[in-house]
């Protein structure tokens, strides 16, 4: 379900919207942030790109399924899949690398709906990641759920909803987020059995219903709230435009961050 929104009137989900989220596993709020706010977040992503790339020179490099990862302290950097690429794909966690991202964690337009979804207040942050999806080379993400990544670190994986905030317009040609509507109702699903190193983290093809697949095209400044069990992914970026987005994952208050094991309480 997609609804129009604006910085002035965005607030809690209505009963209808919350029902739609529960039914479909996701809800889109278009134009949640102003153009000025979006520009600030884009600037923060440039800051993180530069600082994380510098950090990578001092981290531990390893390869999974032929793709480069670098661990620097509590942080994991993923690089684009082309051989020898120096372009960042994902940085996790990321909220503490830019003040604009820290402020976004506490934004009531995100926190209020998350309190409704989780059924708790106060909240804590579980994790945060920045997806760069660079123009022309941004690789896709295969169909997956987040819950298999987290099931061994959380005792309450059902209460770890995400919100993706788009810094750029999301379209088919630049790799917009895709979801399998209603797939969250099946819980944590089996992974692929294809012999790859990460086979368990990608959802088995038998559980992908083509008729339920939805591409979430939306303007910059929009947000997608989605369930940790929702199957989702994205295509590659074949366009001349970036498709940057931050994903914040919340949990009931008092819980610790996935990577650092320290608590980051939400201030609201």
């Amino acid at each position: 379900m997609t609804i129009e929104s604006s910085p002035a009137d965005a607030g809690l989900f209505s009963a209808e919207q919350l029902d739609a989220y529960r039914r479909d596993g996701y809800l889109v709020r278009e134009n949640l942030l102003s153009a000025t706010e979006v520009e600030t977040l884009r600037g923060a992503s440039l800051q993180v790109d530069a600082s994380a790339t510098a950090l990578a020179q001092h981290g531990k490099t390893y390869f999974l399924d032929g793709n480069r990862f670098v661990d620097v302290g509590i942080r994991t950097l993923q690089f684009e899949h082309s051989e020898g690429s120096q372009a960042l794909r994902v940085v996790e966690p990321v909220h503490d690398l830019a003040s604009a991202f820290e402020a976004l964690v506490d934004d009531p337009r995100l926190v209020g709906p998350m309190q409704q979804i989780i059924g708790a207040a106060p909240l804590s942050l579980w994790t945060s990641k920045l997806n760069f999806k660079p123009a022309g080379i941004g690789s896709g993400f295969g169909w997956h759920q987040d819950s298999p990544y987290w099931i061994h670190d959380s005792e309450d994986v059902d209460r770890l909803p995400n919100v993706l905030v788009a810094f750029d317009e999301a379209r088919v040609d630049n790799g917009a987020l895709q979801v399998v509507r209603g797939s969250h109702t099946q819980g944590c699903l089996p992974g692929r059995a294809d012999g790859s190193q990460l086979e368990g983290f990608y959802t088995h093809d038998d559980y992908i219903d083509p008729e339920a697949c939805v591409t979430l095209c939306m303007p910059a400044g929009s947000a997608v709230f989605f369930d940790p069990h929702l199957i989702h992914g994205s295509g590659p970026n074949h366009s001349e435009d970036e498709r940057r987005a931050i994903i914040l994952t919340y949990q009931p208050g008092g819980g610790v961050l996935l990577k650092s094991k320290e608590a980051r309480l939400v201030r609201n």
Side-chain angles (χ1 to χ4, degrees):
M1 180 177 181
T2 301
I3 60 172
E4 287 287 343
S5 190
S6 74
D9 64 15
L12 299 178
F13 288 166
S14 67
E16 177 185 359
Q17 291 158 5
L18 194 56
D19 285 347
Y21 174 89
R22 305 282 189 210
R23 180 190 67 236
D24 298 335
Y26 72 95
L27 188 129
V28 178
R29 276 192 152 165
E30 292 191 347
N31 302 304
L32 187 69
L33 304 185
S34 70
T36 300
E37 290 172 315
V38 169
E39 282 302 318
T40 298
L41 293 170
R42 288 173 178 166
S45 73
L46 292 174
Q47 172 189 330
V48 169
D49 193 350
S51 61
T53 299
L55 285 172
Q57 308 307 312
H58 309 287
K60 177 185 176 182
T61 298
Y62 55 100
F63 293 84
L64 295 173
D65 295 323
N67 301 314
R68 183 162 69 108
F69 293 70
V70 177
D71 284 346
V72 186
I74 63 166
R75 218 170 308 281
T76 297
L77 316 178
Q78 299 181 35
F79 287 81
E80 276 303 336
H81 291 174
S82 54
E83 186 174 353
S85 176
Q86 299 301 308
L88 283 167
R89 185 173 190 249
V90 177
V91 175
E92 182 186 11
V94 74
H95 63 280
D96 58 326
L97 292 180
S99 59
F101 295 162
E102 283 278 16
L104 192 63
V105 171
D106 303 316
D107 193 304
R109 292 169 290 182
L110 306 184
V111 175
M114 280 297 184
Q115 290 173 329
Q116 291 178 290
I117 290 168
I118 295 173
L123 301 181
S124 294
L125 191 67
W126 169 248
T127 192
S128 60
K129 54 191 171 186
L130 181 62
N131 291 346
F132 286 92
K133 193 77 79 165
I137 62 170
S139 50
F141 285 80
W143 291 118
H144 67 282
Q145 301 173 295
D146 290 324
S147 50
Y149 290 84
W150 300 333
I151 195 71
H152 301 294
D153 294 287
S154 172
E155 297 180 354
D156 199 6
V157 73
D158 295 341
R159 300 175 81 193
L160 300 176
N162 306 285
V163 58
L164 177 150
V165 179
F167 300 173
D168 304 291
E169 181 186 12
R171 309 185 305 268
V172 172
D173 67 333
N174 70 353
L177 181 71
Q178 299 171 313
V179 301
V180 181
R181 181 188 288 123
S183 57
H184 64 300
T185 60
Q186 302 175 80
C188 200
L189 294 168
R192 296 177 184 171
D194 58 8
S196 64
Q197 290 173 282
L198 297 175
E199 63 179 4
F201 296 117
Y202 290 98
T203 307
H204 197 284
D205 290 345
D206 288 351
Y207 295 90
I208 310 301
D209 178 2
E211 295 186 0
C213 295
V214 182
T215 300
L216 303 180
C217 297
M218 55 190 170
S222 300
V224 185
F225 297 81
F226 62 101
D227 190 275
H229 295 300
L230 185 73
I231 301 172
H232 60 287
S234 66
N237 186 351
H238 293 305
S239 79
E240 298 180 354
D241 302 314
E242 297 177 271
R243 205 279 282 162
R244 296 158 292 187
I246 193 171
I247 300 176
L248 304 174
T249 307
Y250 292 82
Q251 63 180 322
V256 298
L257 288 159
L258 169 64
K259 296 277 191 175
S260 71
K261 305 307 179 185
E262 297 178 352
R264 199 304 191 175
L265 293 174
V266 173
R267 299 178 287 271
N268 68 316

